[in-house]
Amino acid sequence: MGTNQMVSENVPKIIGLLMLLSIASLLSAADECSDVTALVSTCSTFITYGSPDPFPGSPCCDAMMSLDLISNSIDNRRYVCTCLMSVITTYNPNGTAIANLPGFCGVSFGFTVDPNTDCNL
C-alpha cells in the first residue's frame, strides 16, 4: 500500500472527524450561551415590563454580578458579549432594557451592552 493510497483512504475519515469536532464546538458554545441566557432571564420581569428597576442585591443584579465575574478575561469578555448580543437580538423590542441592566446593578462588563457593539475588539 503506497502513501498516496493511505492518504486518499483516510481523507474522508479526517473530514468526518473535523466535521464532528466543528459540530461539537458549536453545540458547546450554544450550551454555554444558554447559561448567559439563564442569568439574563432572572431579569425577565424588568426586561418584559420595564419595572421594577433591579437593584444591587436583587436576584437580577446577582445574575449581572455573576456575568461580571465570568467576563474576567478578554476571551471570557468576548464570550459574554457575544452571548448578550444574541440575547438582545432575540428580545429586540426589549434590547434597551437588557442594555440598562449593568448600570442599574452597578457592574461594568468591560464593553458596552448595545446591539452595535463589536465583541471582537
Side-chain angles (χ1 to χ4, degrees), residues 18-29:
L18 290 173
M19 288 175 59
L20 284 173
L21 290 172
S22 296
I23 291 168
S25 107
L26 288 172
L27 291 174
S28 174

Side-chain angles (χ1 to χ4, degrees), residues 16 31-32 57 61 84-85:
D31 286 343
E32 291 173 10
C61 285
L84 280 175
M85 296 311 119

Side-chain angles (χ1 to χ4, degrees), residues 2-55:
T3 304
N4 287 339
Q5 185 180 1
M6 283 178 39
V7 169
S8 64
E9 287 177 0
N10 288 323
V11 167
K13 293 176 187 173
I14 293 170
I15 291 172
L17 178 62
L18 290 173
M19 288 175 59
L20 284 173
L21 290 172
S22 296
I23 291 168
S25 107
L26 288 172
L27 291 174
S28 174
D31 286 343
E32 291 173 10
C33 275
S34 69
D35 294 340
V36 171
T37 302
L39 287 168
V40 172
S41 73
T42 307
C43 307
S44 63
T45 302
F46 174 73
I47 293 168
T48 303
Y49 302 108
S51 66
D53 291 349
F55 55 89

Side-chain angles (χ1 to χ4, degrees), residues 11-12 21 23-24 33 36 40 43 48 58 60 64 66 78-79 82 104-105 113 116 119-120:
V11 167
L21 290 172
I23 291 168
C33 275
V36 171
V40 172
C43 307
T48 303
S58 68
C60 174
M64 292 301 104
S66 294
R78 285 181 182 143
Y79 156 73
T82 301
F104 277 116
C105 297
V113 180
N116 299 314
C119 297
N120 293 315

